[in-house]
Amino acid sequence: MLTQEQNDRLCRIGPRTLMGALFRRYWMPIATVDKMREPGSVTAARLLGEDFVVFRGKDGALGVLDEFCIHRGASLALGRVEECGIRCLYHGWKFGADGSVQDIMNLPADKRPPKLRASAYPVVEAGGIVWTYLGPKEKRPPFQRFAFMDVPEDQRVLLRVDTHCNWVQMIEGGLDSSHVSILHTNAARPDWAGAAAQAVGAMNDTGPSLEIEDTEFGYHYAAFRRGSDGANVRVVPFIMPFGRIIPGGALQGKSNFTIAFEVPIDDEHTATYSVRYGSQPISLESRLKETGYDDPELYSRESRKFLFTRGDNAKQRRDIMDQNWSGFRGIAVEDAVIATSMGPISDRTRENLISSDLAIARFRKCLMDSIDRIERGLDPVGVGFDVGLISAIDAAAPEDQHWRALVPGHHAGVAA
Ligand code: FES
Ligand SMILES: [Fe+2]
């Protein structure tokens, strides 16, 4: 249980908040490359409660600027994209991707005000995602290169899904191992309602025991389940401040992984960027089907929005719940429905955590410790770490060694 003040500190990420300062020390996804492929493309993008414009100049280079024109505030998302820059429709000011003011159409050339500049942010394209860094220039870390970015394009699929809820409830759902064989009963324990199919792996054990160890990038949790063939362990990394890697395991294929980033759009909206990747080719269609986002009632492929809103319970199929645990189809849909059902910002003054929620409590501590580190002039945990080393696994629990040996990039944590 948190106090209201602690909950606000955990959840709110605007420019003048402590959590906002923490997030602004990492590279963040701001858009997907598929919407920005063509030279001349432009989109408005909200990130951490602030508004930006992302554009690709006719020269092919990407730029990220504050959305509102520094002259009199028109949206540059309406602007004309030109050779290496974007021009505001209103009075024709032109800005380079570096924020330089290159032309002012409504002023004689000899009257140009000196030293005006738009706020511009660095950009990297990687793994199908446009990344930017919003923090202080002198603190900018090297770009983090995750393993999925080096997987051939036909062996990875990126989905972006925007939900109407705070980012914390999305990631806390992702780090909550015990719900997997309950909320996702139909995928994990298809035999529950008498069907012939077997439970997946050790998923019949609905009360996994958890162990957690801090690492240089966040932590690893290990969830142990007892199955008929012995004990199984799922080791999942939490990657500061908003990421995790889910091993496919028996549920989604041993050579598959999903990396997910819960990116705060603002305090009440989250963009989940998830990339499913592995050693086999994978299509967008199969990924949409697996997640449940192939249902146009629940997900718009055009706007990337999750269409279930709190209280929208008519979308739940109560008529099939004797055979379908949740009344929804698809693991990711079930997760997003639950997070949305908690309201825009979950009220943690009323929760009651138990030992199964160990990873949730540690997640909060991790973030609070790093806020503390910033206040002491230290870098937050994970900044500068080689994230390409981070892995996840779903496997038989080893009898003769510690579970951390299953994840070679473990890197035991720094003291808070
Ligand atoms: S508001 Fe953009 S040029 Fe005037
Ligand atoms: Fe889930």
Side-chain angles (χ1 to χ4, degrees):
M1 194 183 289
L2 301 182
T3 63
Q4 187 60 49
E5 192 194 344
Q6 288 169 327
N7 199 31
D8 284 341
R9 182 176 293 208
L10 178 68
C11 296
R12 296 192 185 273
I13 43 63
R16 282 166 293 282
T17 62
L18 293 169
M19 192 60 78
L22 175 66
F23 266 79
R24 285 167 177 77
R25 297 290 299 277
Y26 301 84
W27 285 86
M28 308 283 302
I30 190 166
T32 56
V33 172
D34 62 347
K35 295 267 184 193
M36 300 297 308
R37 248 187 244 289
E38 292 304 311
S41 44
V42 57
T43 186
R46 194 162 163 75
L47 176 61
L48 302 181
E50 297 187 89
D51 295 297
F52 303 93
V53 61
V54 185
F55 65 96
R56 191 184 292 280
K58 297 273 170 64
D59 60 349
L62 280 171
V64 175
L65 302 175
D66 282 347
E67 179 185 350
F68 302 111
C69 177
I70 58 167
H71 174 222
R72 287 215 299 107
S75 170
L76 291 175
L78 296 170
R80 300 174 59 85
V81 180
E82 299 185 356
E83 209 55 50
C84 58
I86 189 164
R87 189 183 294 276
C88 181
L89 283 188
Y90 202 0
H91 313 91
W93 290 31
K94 182 182 172 188
F95 304 97
D98 61 353
S100 57
V101 180
Q102 298 178 346
D103 190 24
I104 295 183
M105 285 175 75
N106 62 338
L107 201 65
D110 59 337
K111 294 228 172 96
R112 192 162 152 183
K115 290 203 184 136
L116 276 181
R117 226 181 154 78
S119 294
Y121 305 88
V123 197
V124 172
E125 274 177 74
I129 297 173
V130 180
W131 301 78
T132 191
Y133 171 79
L134 303 180
K137 282 191 182 57
E138 69 284 4
K139 299 285 188 192
R140 182 169 122 197
F143 181 71
Q144 74 264 15
R145 214 162 167 88
F146 289 94
F148 80 90
M149 295 171 176
D150 296 319
V151 169
E153 263 193 60
D154 67 334
Q155 290 170 216
R156 57 176 154 87
V157 173
L158 166 69
L159 270 188
R160 172 176 167 165
V161 180
D162 294 0
T163 43
H164 181 194
C165 70
N166 180 260
W167 69 281
V168 177
Q169 56 225 55
M170 291 300 293
I171 196 158
E172 289 191 344
L175 298 170
D176 166 13
S177 192
S178 73
H179 86 273
V180 176
S181 42
I182 304 173
L183 173 64
H184 309 311
T185 282
N186 271 64
R189 299 185 294 119
D191 53 338
W192 76 288
Q198 292 284 301
V200 172
M203 284 295 170
N204 265 336
D205 182 353
T206 59
S209 60
L210 291 178
E211 289 182 19
I212 301 184
E213 290 201 356
D214 288 339
T215 62
E216 286 182 32
F217 53 81
Y219 67 67
H220 272 126
Y221 80 72
F224 292 87
R225 286 181 169 82
R226 301 240 144 244
S228 47
D229 300 338
N232 175 274
V233 65
R234 274 168 79 84
V235 183
V236 173
F238 163 59
I239 307 162
M240 283 283 287
F242 58 1
R244 68 192 190 280
I245 301 176
I246 306 139
L251 208 54
Q252 295 183 320
K254 283 208 182 306
S255 59
N256 283 305
F257 300 90
T258 304
I259 188 163
F261 304 101
E262 306 296 352
V263 181
I265 296 172
D266 54 32
D267 288 345
E268 298 190 356
H269 298 86
T270 305
T272 303
Y273 290 73
S274 73
V275 181
R276 180 93 138 80
Y277 62 103
S279 54
Q280 302 295 322
I282 177 170
S283 69
L284 175 62
E285 296 309 321
S286 70
R287 178 64 177 149
L288 286 166
K289 188 151 183 263
E290 171 183 84
T291 52
Y293 291 132
D294 57 339
D295 181 349
E297 293 275 298
L298 288 171
Y299 178 64
S300 161
R301 289 172 70 167
E302 183 48 37
S303 70
R304 317 290 178 94
K305 282 198 169 63
F306 185 54
L307 302 175
F308 176 88
T309 52
R310 201 175 103 68
D312 202 3
N313 293 6
K315 288 186 174 147
Q316 184 183 33
R317 294 280 313 276
R318 298 199 73 83
D319 57 318
I320 59 168
M321 283 171 72
D322 54 345
Q323 293 296 314
N324 176 308
W325 173 272
S326 66
F328 292 95
R329 184 174 54 77
I331 290 178
V333 162
E334 288 169 334
D335 285 331
V337 162
I338 291 295
T340 310
S341 79
M342 296 171 173
I345 301 183
S346 180
D347 180 1
R348 294 179 179 76
T349 66
R350 300 160 76 105
E351 68 183 7
N352 294 282
L353 297 193
I354 58 173
S355 61
S356 311
D357 300 310
L358 208 59
I360 310 287
R362 185 68 71 97
F363 155 78
R364 296 176 190 174
K365 181 174 183 315
C366 240
L367 288 158
M368 290 309 144
D369 284 351
S370 274
I371 283 178
D372 222 53
R373 287 176 63 87
I374 292 178
E375 286 182 326
R376 286 186 285 137
L378 301 170
D379 284 340
V381 165
V383 161
F385 184 77
D386 180 359
V387 292
L389 299 171
I390 305 174
S391 63
I393 194 165
D394 180 316
E399 286 173 7
D400 50 353
Q401 55 185 349
H402 193 273
W403 57 262
R404 77 174 80 85
L406 299 175
V407 276
H410 177 71
H411 290 260
V414 289

